[in-house]
Amino acid sequence: MKFDLDQDQRDFAASIDAALAAADVPGAVRAWSHGEPDAGRRVWNQLAELGVTALAVPEEHDGIGAHPVDLMLAIEALGRWCVPGPVVESIAVAPVLLAGAPDAAAQLAALAAGELIATVALPPHTPRALDADRADLVLHAESGRAGTAQAGTRHASVDPSRGVFDVTATGDSWDADTARAYEVGALATAAQLIGAGQAMLNASVDYAKQRTQFGRVIGGYQAIKHKLADVHIALELARPLVYGAALSLSQDSADTARDVSAAKVAASDAALLAAHSALQTHGAIGFTSECDLSLWLLRVQAVRPAWGDVTAHRRRVLEAI
């Protein structure tokens, strides 16, 4: 079967890239890390104008009701630009959990319009909520039920732009498809990792073309070429697994759990390889706070275990086999 993105999907991804390229996202990430979310909020407003925040919201609630492939395409772009905040939780997971809420219509419409940023804790694999102090809505979901929650103790992350919080359920709960919410969250995290890996590969290729050593650009050395080629291959093999799992989600396939976990494992491994190779290509300067590459290096380390670590997802693939 031939699987490829159509021109409309490519144009949509290009429009996100163009908007974020002009938005100084690295500056917004640094400000977010220092407790100044205004620049990050402006980035989210731009996403809302492009329709990104409305992708997973049903049309009857002023959303787009997009296909899961389109949603993953957008999340990959946000990972490529290291957008701060609970991207996966608000854009991909919250619409699933809010479908049965008493005030679903108003909350989903606010999500679609970008007026509401939500975050989610979904034990056991996601026991804490990302950026619960910045989110307008905190959700706690477990065993087929979801409800609102409030932030508790903050726990530090390897990525200073990501704060994870214990949450306490508040108010009433409602029936929710928590199983699907988990699959969507895990797959969207895989897409985010693919985007981050691609950004680091692009940065490494650009750096290798201009950095000189012993009178030659380092990109001319076979060791560098082979290292970056391995990253490209890993990303190109992982990306179709993400989109294939999105197709399984759209069809409610019996193989959805297997496909999502396979995509999460492949994306996690590819992003880690990209991070290692990018740091080796740039040298120690790549990990300094002044270098934008450091933002992606830390993001990948923080996101890889999110929504189920590699061990948990390998186990699910093995059980499916």
Side-chain angles (χ1 to χ4, degrees):
M1 179 180 70
K2 180 181 179 181
F3 179 79
D4 199 6
L5 301 175
D6 61 32
Q7 192 57 48
D8 287 342
Q9 290 170 320
R10 295 181 186 277
D11 289 344
F12 178 52
S15 70
I16 298 175
D17 284 334
L20 295 179
D24 186 22
V25 179
V29 175
R30 290 185 172 96
W32 193 278
S33 301
H34 296 135
E36 302 167 3
D38 290 349
R41 283 279 187 167
R42 288 194 291 272
V43 172
W44 277 75
N45 290 339
Q46 288 182 288
L47 298 179
E49 291 174 3
L50 292 170
V52 174
T53 55
L55 284 171
V57 176
E59 292 183 50
E60 59 266 29
H61 298 303
D62 300 327
I64 295 175
H67 192 282
V69 169
D70 297 324
L71 176 61
M72 297 308 145
L73 181 68
I75 298 292
E76 180 183 340
L78 304 191
R80 193 158 54 245
W81 289 95
C82 207
V83 171
V87 168
V88 167
E89 292 77 6
S90 188
I91 296 174
V93 180
V96 177
L97 295 177
L98 287 173
D103 51 352
Q107 290 182 321
L108 287 170
L111 271 181
E115 299 167 357
L116 187 72
I117 294 179
T119 189
V120 174
L122 204 165
H125 294 299
T126 309
R128 294 171 178 149
L130 173 64
D131 290 330
D133 58 335
R134 313 277 173 80
D136 306 301
L137 176 66
V138 181
L139 297 174
H140 179 275
E142 190 172 9
S143 303
R145 302 284 293 178
T148 57
Q150 63 182 13
T153 304
R154 185 184 194 275
H155 298 268
S157 168
V158 66
D159 179 355
S161 70
R162 290 169 59 89
V164 289
F165 290 78
D166 294 331
V167 300
T168 303
T170 60
D172 297 330
S173 63
W174 56 85
D175 290 335
D177 192 346
T178 53
R180 183 176 181 84
Y182 176 70
E183 304 300 349
V184 171
L187 186 58
T189 302
Q192 192 177 23
L193 286 165
I194 292 291
Q198 188 66 55
M200 290 186 290
L201 175 60
N202 294 345
S204 299
V205 170
D206 290 343
Y207 186 78
K209 288 179 179 178
Q210 56 183 303
R211 167 71 169 157
T212 60
Q213 194 147 18
F214 306 115
R216 293 178 58 187
V217 293
I218 63 173
Y221 293 105
Q222 290 290 338
I224 298 294
K225 290 181 179 180
H226 291 169
K227 188 183 301 294
L228 298 181
D230 287 343
V231 175
H232 174 72
I233 291 169
L235 291 170
E236 288 300 301
L237 291 176
R239 186 177 284 109
L241 291 178
V242 172
Y243 294 147
L247 288 175
S248 292
L249 265 175
S250 70
Q251 299 162 0
D252 293 323
S253 169
D255 296 325
T256 295
R258 179 202 66 187
D259 294 346
V260 167
S261 286
K264 181 64 159 57
V265 170
S268 297
D269 289 348
L272 184 61
L273 179 63
H276 287 167
S277 299
L279 186 55
Q280 290 168 351
T281 301
H282 283 76
I285 194 173
F287 205 72
T288 60
S289 59
E290 293 82 5
C291 182
D292 288 348
L293 177 66
S294 66
L295 303 178
W296 280 270
L297 293 173
L298 294 173
R299 180 63 56 86
V300 165
Q301 290 287 57
V303 170
R304 284 184 74 245
W307 293 90
D309 61 19
V310 171
T311 299
H313 284 288
R314 286 189 190 280
R315 185 179 297 115
R316 286 216 305 175
V317 174
L318 179 60
E319 291 171 351
I321 295 174

